């Protein structure tokens, strides 16, 4: 953060020309290691004993990483020329005003499509922007964002042409653990099955499930203990409950975000009997979604 440069960390265990396999029975040369197809699947460490392995394209990998480092240097130098205090400020703290929960898709970079600088967006990304109660990753991110960073806004962003949503509409096994993850999107499909079934199979059905998935994940954000606790605390301290939750969809075909056209305020009011952890009134709940 002090200078914006990426540095390569050398793993001590790889400095030696040899290292022991999992069972300590065969010595492998780390400069020439590649796993033969199916070796691990057919028997783990036992399948590796007595075999020799070669990497193949180490030079290409090093060249790729060298290019990344060179591009990083150019970027860091350009930032210092345009904003001399940029990295100095970043090195001391971050003060984001939004938690972004988005998809891992490479076409949906949070800061870029919002036009925001480094240090202003706290980001959580996973396949199809899921907010699951049993996912300690996303739950920890939400807790840190609202309790310690005190972000006033949480954005849940889906995107059209989402591979995860598209896969969840297919009746096929994608293999664990991916299929276990997609099952949660299938649950969204089940919840809104009546509406989805009225849409002809094709892109329109995928797009609508993308939107409905964002709706459900926004509600899942509201259900969390961390968000409700923070909203209750800020309501009592200032009379104004935050964070606010925003559902948006990104269109990869034109680069634009659009607000979710669903009445989230009414949805959360309908859920209060089941999920409210504090004695919020109707106006407080409606104000959660913007």
């Amino acid at each position: 953060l002090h200078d914006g440069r990426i540095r390569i960390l050398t793993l001590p265990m790889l400095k030696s020309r040899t290292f022991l396999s999992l069972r300590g029975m065969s010595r492998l040369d780390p400069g020439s290691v590649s796993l033969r197809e199916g070796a691990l699947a057919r028997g783990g460490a036992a399948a590796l004993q007595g075999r020799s392995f070669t990497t193949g394209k180490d030079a290409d990998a090093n060249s790729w990483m060298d290019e990344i480092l060179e591009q990083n240097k150019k970027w860091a130098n350009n930032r210092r020329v345009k904003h001399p205090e940029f990295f100095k400020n970043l090195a001391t703290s971050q003060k984001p005003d939004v938690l972004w929960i988005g998809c891992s898709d490479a076409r949906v970079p949070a800061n870029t499509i919002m036009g925001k600088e480094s240090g202003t967006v706290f980001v959580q990304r996973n396949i199809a922007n899921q907010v699951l109660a049993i996912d300690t990753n996303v739950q920890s991110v939400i807790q840190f964002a609202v309790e310690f960073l005190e972000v006033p806004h949480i954005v849940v962003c889906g995107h059209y042409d989402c591979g995860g949503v598209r896969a969840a509409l297919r009746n096929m096994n994608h293999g664990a653990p991916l299929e276990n993850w997609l099952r949660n999107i299938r649950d969204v499909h089940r919840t809104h099955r009546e509406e989805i079934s009225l849409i002809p199979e094709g892109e329109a059905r995928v797009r609508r499930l993308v939107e409905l998935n964002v709706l459900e994940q926004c509600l899942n954000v509201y259900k969390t203990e961390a968000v409700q606790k923070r909203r209750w605390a800020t309501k009592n301290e200032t009379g104004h409950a935050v964070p606010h939750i925003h559902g948006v969809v990104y269109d990869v075909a034109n680069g634009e975000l659009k607000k979710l056209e669903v009445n989230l305020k009414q949805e959360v009011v309908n859920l209060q009997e089941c999920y409210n952890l504090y004695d919020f009134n109707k106006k407080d709940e409606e104000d959660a979604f913007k």
Side-chain angles (χ1 to χ4, degrees):
L1 288 177
H2 289 278
D3 60 9
R5 296 276 297 278
I6 295 174
R7 289 172 174 80
I8 296 294
L9 300 180
T10 301
L11 299 180
M13 68 172 289
L14 296 183
K15 288 182 178 179
S16 169
R17 290 301 299 167
T18 61
F19 63 91
L20 296 181
S21 69
L22 292 177
R23 289 193 175 183
M25 298 183 66
S26 62
R27 302 185 69 82
L28 306 178
D29 181 353
S32 61
V33 176
S34 68
L35 301 182
R36 291 181 180 175
E37 184 177 359
L40 286 178
R42 291 195 299 270
L48 300 180
Q49 294 178 18
R51 301 194 180 197
S52 62
F53 304 92
T54 56
T55 47
K57 297 187 178 180
D58 287 347
D60 290 344
N62 290 333
S63 175
W64 179 88
M65 195 64 231
D66 289 343
E67 183 178 349
I68 292 296
L69 293 173
E70 185 61 31
Q71 291 300 321
N72 166 249
K73 289 178 184 178
K74 293 179 181 179
W75 172 79
N77 288 334
N78 287 336
R79 296 302 297 179
R80 283 192 291 270
V81 169
K82 295 180 180 179
H83 305 282
E85 300 297 309
F86 182 76
F87 293 111
K88 180 180 178 180
N89 293 334
L90 278 185
T92 57
S93 66
Q94 61 170 327
K95 190 58 180 176
D97 59 1
V98 57
L99 164 61
W100 171 281
I101 301 175
C103 183
S104 298
D105 193 297
R107 300 169 293 177
V108 195
N111 289 63
T112 301
I113 64 180
M114 286 194 292
K116 295 179 75 68
E117 287 283 5
S118 300
T120 62
V121 185
F122 199 59
V123 178
Q124 160 69 25
R125 297 173 70 178
N126 59 55
I127 293 176
N129 41 276
Q130 300 287 288
V131 181
L132 308 181
I134 60 172
D135 181 359
T136 55
N137 188 322
V138 70
Q139 294 298 326
S140 298
V141 168
I142 291 173
Q143 180 184 3
F144 188 82
V146 300
E147 289 189 13
F148 297 96
L149 297 177
E150 299 182 345
V151 298
H153 301 281
I154 299 176
V155 171
V156 178
C157 179
H159 68 95
Y160 296 130
D161 194 39
C162 178
V165 171
R166 191 181 301 279
L169 278 170
R170 295 175 180 150
N171 294 116
M172 62 177 291
N173 182 4
H174 297 85
L178 177 58
E179 184 55 51
N180 300 332
W181 186 265
L182 296 177
R183 206 272 330 267
N184 298 286
I185 310 173
R186 297 186 192 278
D187 288 343
V188 174
H189 184 186
R190 173 182 54 79
T191 301
H192 299 274
R193 182 173 55 184
E194 184 175 343
E195 178 183 348
I196 293 293
S197 65
L198 297 176
I199 303 173
E201 291 188 9
E203 202 59 31
R205 180 175 289 194
V206 177
R207 290 169 72 92
R208 184 54 181 158
L209 187 54
V210 164
E211 296 168 351
L212 292 172
N213 183 50
V214 171
L215 161 65
E216 293 298 331
Q217 306 318 314
C218 284
L219 295 176
N220 285 344
V221 169
Y222 182 82
K223 296 172 190 176
T224 62
E225 184 271 348
V227 168
Q228 291 197 40
K229 179 182 178 182
R230 178 63 181 163
R231 285 183 56 78
W232 183 252
T234 53
K235 168 185 165 59
N236 290 326
E237 292 169 4
T238 68
H240 182 60
V242 294
H244 299 297
I245 304 166
H246 312 264
V248 298
V249 176
Y250 177 68
D251 192 336
V252 295
N254 61 25
E256 295 182 1
L257 290 168
K258 76 170 187 178
K259 290 185 67 175
L260 195 64
E261 296 180 2
V262 177
N263 189 353
L264 285 167
K265 296 179 179 180
Q266 186 57 48
E267 291 286 346
V268 77
V269 169
N270 293 340
L271 296 175
Q272 64 182 31
E273 182 178 348
C274 300
Y275 296 106
N276 269 21
L277 306 180
Y278 298 89
D279 190 23
F280 291 109
N281 58 44
K282 181 178 179 180
K283 184 180 184 304
D284 292 330
E285 291 175 318
E286 291 179 341
D287 193 49
F289 298 95
K290 295 294 185 180

